[in-house]
Every structure is written in C-alpha cells, then in structure tokens.
Amino acid sequence: MPETFYEVMRRQGITRRSFLKYCSLAAGALGLSPAFAPKIAHAMETKPRIPVLWLHGLECTCCSESFIRSAHPLAKDVILSMISLDYDDTIMAAAGDQAEAIIDETIEKYDGNFILAIEGNAPLNEDGMYCIIAGKPFVEQLVRVSQHAKAIISWGSCASWGCVQAARPNPTRATPTHKIPGIADKPIIKVPGCPPIAEVMTAVITYILTFEKLPSLDSQGRPKMFYSQRIHDKCYRRPHFDAGQFVEKFDDEGARKGYCLYKVGCKGPTTYNACSTVRWNGGLSFPIQAGHPCIGCSEDGFWDKGGFYDRLTDVHGFGIEANADEIGKTAAGIVAGAAAIHAGASVIKRIASKGDDA
Amino acid sequence: MVEEITARKEEAIFVYEWPVRVWHWVQVFAILALGITGYLIGSPLPSLSGEASDHFFFGTIRYIHFTAAWILIVGFVFRVYWAFVGNSHAREIFLPPVWRRRFWAGVWHEILWYAMIAKEPKKYTGHNPLAVLAMHVLYVWGTIFMIVTGLALYGEGEGMGSWQNEWFSSWVIPLFGQSQDVHTWHHIGMWVIVVFVIIHVYVAVREDIMSRQSIISSMISGWRMFKDDRPPDDEDLRLE
Ligand code: HEM
Ligand code: HEM
Ligand code: SF4
Ligand code: SF4
C-alpha cells in the first residue's frame, strides 16, 4: 500500500498549516468554493498516491520545466509527492535497465490503475526510428504502456497537437497521442500549451486525486475549468480593443501606453487557455502583460499559420501561400476585370448587330 | 393567330412576390454592412488616441456586424420559409432541377450566350438556368456557410453554455481545426460572396439591356415584362 500524500508531506517536513493552505489554493485554482478545501485535505490525508508513468517523446522538456516551477512554494513538493512519479526519465535518478524495469514493475503492480502522462510525441516515419528510448522506438513503449493505464494525460501542445516538430512538412511524422495508431482506447486529457501553465498542470492532477474522476472535458478533450475561455475574454487590454486602440508597431506610442496587440498579430481572440486569469510565474505576468502578442501556443496548428505578428493567417494548398484578403482581392480583381472586358465586348457586339439590322 | 400574339406581347407575368423583393433588398444592405465591417474586423483602421473609456469604435464596428448578421439570418430563415409557401419562382434558387437534361441544356446555352457564340438569348419568366445554378451554389450555400461559421465565432464570445456555442462553436471549430481557421474561412467566404455580387450585378445590368425580358425592374415591381411575343423557354423547369 503506497503512502498517502499527507504522510509523504509530513515526512518532508511540511507543517499541517502549510498543507491546509495548499488545499485552499488548489480549490481556488480549480474554481471550487472554499468549502471544497477540507474535501481536498481529506482526500490527501486518506487516499493512496496515484502512480504516474511520465514518458518523454520528441520534446523540448518545457512541460517538465514548467511543472517543477509551480508557484506555490509547496505545490511542487506536494505534487511531486502526491503522484508517485515512478518513471520520468528526465528527472529520476535511475537510468538504463534499472529505469526501464520500473515500467514493468508499475504495469505489474498497478495494471489498469496508474496514469500515463506523455510529454512530447512519437514520430512514426522510419518505423519510429527518430525517437529511440532504451534501444526501441518510443512509439512502441507508448502503445504498450497505454494498454495498461487507467487514463492518459497529454501534456503540452506536443502530445496534444504535434507542435513544432510536427510543422510542415513534418519529416519525422511526429504525431500527437490521440492519433497514434494502436493507442489504447483510454480517456485522454489534453493539457495543451507550450508549455502549459504550472498551476494548470498541478490542478488537473489534484482534481483527479481528490474526486477520483477525470475533470470534465470540452469537445476537444481539454479540461473545461482551464480551457473554456479565450485569452481575449479575460484580457486586461480588452477595453483598448473595444475602443479601437491598437499597437501598430512595437516601438510606437500605443505600445508604450499598453494598447491592444490585435494588429501586431495577437491570437488571444482565438486561443483557449488560462493565461489571462491564472497568469505565469505565480501570477506575476503573462506574455500580453509584457507587451507581446499571444502566439496561440495552446491551439492546434499554431506553428503553421503564417507569421506570429500577422493578424490574418496564411492559407496553404493548391500551391498558394497567402492570406484570405490576398486571395480574395486577386479573385475579385480578376472577376471584375473579366466583367469589364465582357461589357466592352458586349457593347461592340450590340453595335455590330445593330449595324446588321440596319 | 396574329391577334393572339399581339395580346401576348402586352402581357406581363407576375414573378416575384413582395416578400421576395423586400427580402432581396434588405439582404443587399445587410451583406453590404457585413462585408464592410467584416473587412474592418480583419484589418482595423488606424488607432484612435485618448482614453479607452472615451471610445467604443471597434466595438461599434463589431456591433454593426452582429446586428446585420441577425438581420441576414432572420431574413434567410424567412426566405426558406417562403420557398415553401410562396409561388413556384420562390423555390427556384433552392431547388435547381439538376436532374433534368433540359436544365443543363439551358445552362450550356446560357454559357454560349455569354461567350457571345449563341446569337440570341432564351426567354425566361424566372431566372435563367445558369443564374439559378450560381445563386444556388454561391449565394444559398455561401450564405449558409457564412451563417454557420459566423454563429460559431459568435458562440465563442457568448461563451460555453450559450446556444450558439452548443449548436455551432462546439462542432464547427474542431471541424476546421481551431478558431483561427474558422476566422480564415469565414473571411474567404466573404470573398466568394463578393465575387458572386460582382458577377450578379454585372449580368443583371447586362441582361436588362440585352436579354428578351425585363430584369432589374422585375426585382422592384415583381412583374416580368417581355420584349417579344414568343413563348418563354422555362415553362417546364419550375417545380410547382
Ligand atoms: C455575408 C455575410 C458575412 C460576411 C461577408 C462576413 C464577413 C466577416 C469578416 C471578413 C470577418 C473577419 C474575419 C477575420 O479575419 O477575423 C468576420 C468576422 C466575424 N463575423 Fe462575419 N460575415 C458575415 C456573416 C456573419 C454572420 C451571419 C455572423 C453570425 C453572427 C457573423 C459573425 C462574425 C463574428 C462573430 C466575427 C468575429 C468577430 C471578431 O472576432 O471580433 N458574420 N465576418
Ligand atoms: C449583396 C448583394 C446581392 C445579393 C447577395 C443578391 C442576391 C440575389 C439573389 C439570391 C437573387 C435571387 C432571388 C430569388 O430568386 O429569390 C437575386 C435576384 C436579383 N437581384 Fe440580387 N443580389 C444582390 C445585389 C443586387 C443588386 C445591387 C442588384 C441591382 C442591380 C440586384 C439585382 C437583382 C435582380 C434584378 C434580381 C432578379 C434577377 C432575375 O430577374 O432573374 N441584386 N439577387
Ligand atoms: S491584446 Fe490580444 S487578447 Fe488582449 S484584447 Fe487585444 S487581441 Fe484580445
Ligand atoms: S498568452 Fe498565448 S502564446 Fe502566451 S502562453 Fe498564453 S496561450 Fe501561449
């Protein structure tokens, strides 16, 4: 029987007071009323830790980096002890055969009861040769472990959507979790972002632990509590948007005054994430607050939509790479030109046929 | 016989009932407003100075877009209803008789007429077959596309739980990939409609002058006047 979270935390020297503080914080992050804090505390005191196998495919490790920087000083300890992170090849001490043995052990001991967390994704071309873990293609490890897991968490935009390694023409055929052939038919929770916000990551795990169920997901598989609103819906620059006050260039008066970043390509209006509410680095700031437009890092395909600093995005295909207005103006121009020529020809024809009649 | 023909020459046929005419001109203005404001949503005008609290300029542009959008939607729903209860001409643009060879022969003839190969246009009480085809594909489906993608974008602003979001955003957005793609396609849809309107207005004016029936005045008065006395060519192409 694994220890409970509370036992682990006390062993780590965390006071009961700090523990309760964390529980209130977690309730807040999950959008629950303060009445839920005792419930969370109770769950942590009594429930065994959930084993987690954290696999890494093609990635930059920014999800791990974000996760271990969760803002509340305790959060990272709590979370790292909360889930018994049995396998995480980036941060665990074990290596080589020893490390791989942990996977088999977890599968054996907790078959159907552990969570599979995936950071990064699997390349499928050349039989998966572009990402080798312990001498075998990563995709094989992923598929095998998924068959024994209770649920799957796709951390970040890599596991959720593909991200930059899947950018056109995607030479390695990097493929997000839910599109891997043979992946087990288990619930997949997508927690996109490049990286996802630390508090969002920890809160998702806290929720699963406390309520012993998966958070409710939107139509694209993202937890509703963090991904049901756009950056734009809660952006503090929104009054400038409604007023029609935009930054035109990064060094203009508007930029100094903190105008809306829409015209320099802000993707806030099309991006579902919690940045404008939870913010980053312990609520300190977020990209728009620092004067940079949102690049839409938690959205599918954000890496392949033309310039990050353009309002209108590019369309690919049929040998064109242009935005909607460029395509439309060309088409309308051709049609209008053709109509003008046709009108001219019609006039000539009419004069000519009048001539015939006469 | 001669008498009969002269009698027929004076004849005008009532084609467009008043709801169709009113609807046509209302949606002309709605689409004009939607096109202009939509373009400005994609490429906003230069910034206003002063305090944000002094202005609601971009908000107003969006507000006009949404108001015109509701007029377009209500009008379109009404127009579909009228296709059921109105006269046979009210059904033309919704149900082109694509299963009839005569219809395609008419389309082909119309192409020859515009290519200035055919010497003489055919005579129609309703729209000519090529016009019906263009109105059906570009206008009817174009408008449905704009309404569906528009409501999906609108539902994002209304938020989860709103009917626009449940009925439209929830499936339209994943279908296109993500919200940004819906914006892009909604934007391209505008240009499809612009292309339709350019052609439509050009041929309306041209046919008014060159065809064998009245065109522009028909969409105002409802009556089709004929410039000669031979029988029309589309008697069998309409669905009663
Ligand atoms: C012929 C009809 C229409 C035209 C030509 C049109 C045109 C446009 C254009 C060009 C845009 C800018 C897209 C972009 O690049 O972001 C836009 C945005 C939008 N349109 Fe339309 N539209 C039409 C109908 C509708 C309808 C029926 C609705 C339904 C409510 C609608 C709702 C919206 C919304 C919500 C936006 C996004 C506004 C924003 O992001 O601030 N549109 N439209
Ligand atoms: C936004 C612009 C416009 C759109 C979307 C549009 C759309 C349509 C549609 C769908 C019809 C078919 C009506 C039906 O059978 O129910 C129609 C007919 C017609 N429209 Fe427009 N229209 C536009 C602008 C104009 C303008 C500016 C004119 C004036 C020159 C015009 C003149 C006509 C005429 C004369 C007809 C009847 C054609 C006939 O008799 O066969 N339209 N239009
Ligand atoms: S800065 Fe971006 S998210 Fe904020 S109001 Fe402007 S467009 Fe919306
Ligand atoms: S503001 Fe946009 S680009 Fe930046 S982290 Fe948030 S979702 Fe990603």
Side-chain angles (χ1 to χ4, degrees):
Chain A
M1 179 82 181
E3 293 170 292
T4 68
F5 304 103
Y6 185 59
E7 282 160 3
V8 176
M9 283 157 62
R10 289 311 296 262
R11 191 155 49 72
Q12 291 192 343
I14 290 164
T15 63
R16 179 153 184 85
R17 196 184 155 77
S18 300
F19 167 68
L20 293 175
K21 235 167 119 181
Y22 169 76
C23 295
S24 321
L25 198 94
L30 290 167
L32 302 170
S33 82
F36 275 93
K39 228 177 144 175
I40 294 175
H42 181 74
M44 294 203 155
E45 279 165 353
T46 53
K47 289 187 186 152
R49 300 188 294 165
I50 326 170
V52 174
L53 289 183
W54 187 309
L55 305 185
H56 297 254
L58 287 186
E59 50 141 344
C60 73
T61 325
C62 77
C63 298
S64 293
E65 292 286 347
S66 175
F67 189 72
I68 58 176
R69 277 166 188 71
S70 190
H72 189 270
L74 284 177
K76 69 169 192 293
D77 303 331
V78 173
I79 300 301
L80 284 180
S81 39
M82 189 158 133
I83 54 181
S84 55
L85 204 52
D86 291 326
Y87 178 95
D88 183 334
D89 50 23
T90 318
I91 56 176
M92 69 185 173
D97 293 341
Q98 257 181 336
E100 297 314 307
I102 298 174
I103 294 191
D104 297 324
E105 210 182 295
T106 307
I107 289 180
E108 209 172 287
K109 262 171 60 191
Y110 303 103
D111 198 353
N113 284 315
F114 67 90
I115 295 210
L116 167 59
I118 302 156
E119 184 176 346
N121 56 33
L124 300 182
N125 271 358
E126 313 296 341
D127 300 321
M129 289 286 282
Y130 292 104
C131 184
I132 299 289
I133 307 275
K136 284 195 210 123
F138 171 62
V139 59
E140 289 177 16
Q141 186 189 43
L142 179 59
V143 169
R144 183 169 74 93
V145 176
S146 77
Q147 261 128 26
H148 301 276
K150 175 185 176 155
I152 301 170
I153 300 180
S154 285
W155 285 142
S157 293
C158 301
S160 301
W161 311 124
C163 214
V164 286
Q165 61 273 47
R168 281 181 328 120
N170 193 357
T172 66
R173 227 171 113 219
T175 307
T177 317
H178 61 287
K179 289 189 180 158
I180 300 274
I183 196 90
D185 186 19
K186 303 283 163 70
I188 297 179
I189 305 165
K190 298 195 189 95
V191 187
C194 190
I197 305 170
E199 283 72 16
V200 169
M201 300 174 80
T202 52
V204 166
I205 290 191
T206 308
Y207 184 94
I208 297 175
L209 176 84
T210 312
F211 298 104
E212 286 183 283
K213 63 175 188 203
L214 305 175
S216 67
L217 306 177
D218 71 2
S219 59
Q220 299 189 67
R222 303 168 293 193
K224 277 188 186 159
M225 54 191 116
F226 297 112
Y227 294 92
S228 61
Q229 276 188 324
R230 300 167 301 173
I231 306 295
H232 187 63
D233 292 319
K234 287 277 152 44
C235 178
Y236 78 105
R237 296 193 184 207
R238 185 64 186 263
H240 293 297
F241 173 86
D242 290 331
Q245 297 179 313
F246 304 104
V247 174
E248 312 272 348
K249 286 201 303 277
F250 283 107
D251 56 356
D252 68 2
E253 186 66 16
R256 276 190 289 282
K257 286 189 172 154
Y259 284 177
C260 167
L261 297 156
Y262 188 73
K263 282 176 94 170
V264 285
C266 184
K267 305 296 181 295
T270 55
T271 303
Y272 289 81
N273 205 343
C275 306
S276 52
T277 44
V278 176
R279 306 197 184 200
W280 286 82
N281 302 319
L284 182 71
S285 184
F286 74 114
I288 291 168
Q289 198 170 339
H292 193 280
C294 168
I295 63 171
C297 77
S298 55
E299 287 294 324
D300 194 2
F302 79 90
W303 54 88
D304 263 346
K305 305 250 180 271
F308 288 148
Y309 304 100
D310 295 328
R311 165 66 190 88
L312 300 176
T313 42
D314 281 0
V315 184
H316 308 289
F318 314 110
I320 20 175
E321 184 159 341
N323 71 36
D325 275 351
E326 289 159 1
I327 297 170
K329 282 175 186 168
T330 309
I334 292 170
V335 169
I341 293 167
H342 198 265
S346 304
V347 170
I348 293 166
K349 182 189 167 195
R350 206 172 157 79
I351 293 169
S353 64
K354 280 264 166 63
D356 287 351
D357 289 350
Chain B
M1 189 68 190
V2 173
E3 271 167 30
E4 233 183 278
I5 290 172
T6 31
R8 203 181 167 110
K9 188 167 185 166
E10 296 303 312
E11 195 187 351
I13 297 179
F14 185 65
V15 182
Y16 301 116
E17 296 152 293
W18 70 264
V20 172
R21 286 176 278 137
V22 170
W23 161 81
H24 177 266
W25 296 111
V26 167
Q27 58 92 43
V28 167
F29 287 105
I31 289 180
L32 206 62
L34 283 162
I36 294 168
T37 54
Y39 183 81
L40 293 176
I41 290 169
S43 311
L45 293 168
S47 289
L48 299 175
S49 54
E51 289 300 319
S53 55
D54 293 340
H55 309 289
F56 191 67
F57 184 61
F58 201 59
T60 307
I61 287 176
R62 293 174 72 242
Y63 180 78
I64 295 170
H65 193 80
F66 305 150
T67 309
W70 287 116
I71 293 172
L72 182 83
I73 292 169
V74 172
F76 191 78
V77 170
F78 170 79
R79 184 65 185 78
V80 171
Y81 161 77
W82 199 259
F84 287 99
V85 301
N87 67 18
S88 68
H89 294 288
R91 279 183 280 287
E92 280 186 59
I93 61 168
F94 295 99
L95 277 175
V98 290
W99 57 90
R100 297 208 182 143
R101 287 202 51 211
R102 282 257 299 143
F103 174 78
W104 291 105
V107 170
W108 180 239
H109 181 271
E110 217 46 45
I111 291 171
L112 294 179
W113 164 240
Y114 286 117
M116 298 180 202
I117 295 167
K119 283 258 156 9
E120 196 188 52
K122 287 205 187 315
K123 182 170 160 182
Y124 296 103
T125 34
H127 305 302
N128 74 58
L130 185 63
V132 168
L133 202 63
M135 284 164 180
H136 182 74
V137 176
L138 297 177
Y139 176 78
V140 174
W141 288 106
T143 304
I144 291 172
F145 181 84
M146 293 312 277
I147 291 176
V148 170
T149 52
L151 284 173
L153 295 175
Y154 194 77
E156 295 195 285
E158 291 298 286
M160 283 196 185
S162 65
W163 66 265
Q164 294 93 338
N165 198 297
E166 302 284 304
W167 295 358
F168 295 95
S169 319
S170 62
W171 62 273
V172 174
I173 288 170
L175 185 73
F176 282 88
Q178 54 133 306
S179 171
Q180 213 175 319
D181 300 303
V182 182
H183 274 267
T184 303
W185 284 104
H186 189 73
H187 209 124
I188 288 174
M190 171 178 80
W191 289 108
V192 171
I193 291 184
V194 167
V195 165
F196 168 77
V197 171
I198 294 173
I199 299 172
H200 174 68
V201 173
Y202 167 63
V203 299
V205 173
R206 181 182 195 265
E207 295 314 286
D208 204 59
I209 301 167
M210 308 206 22
S211 76
R212 289 157 59 197
Q213 63 264 2
S214 69
I215 300 280
I216 296 178
S217 62
S218 307
M219 206 24 111
I220 299 170
S221 68
W223 290 90
R224 181 81 78 204
M225 257 60 110
F226 295 103
K227 299 177 191 169
D228 63 48
D229 45 13
R230 281 165 291 157
D233 292 297
D234 62 344
E235 294 293 87
D236 60 337
L237 282 179
R238 269 172 290 121
L239 306 168
E240 290 308 324

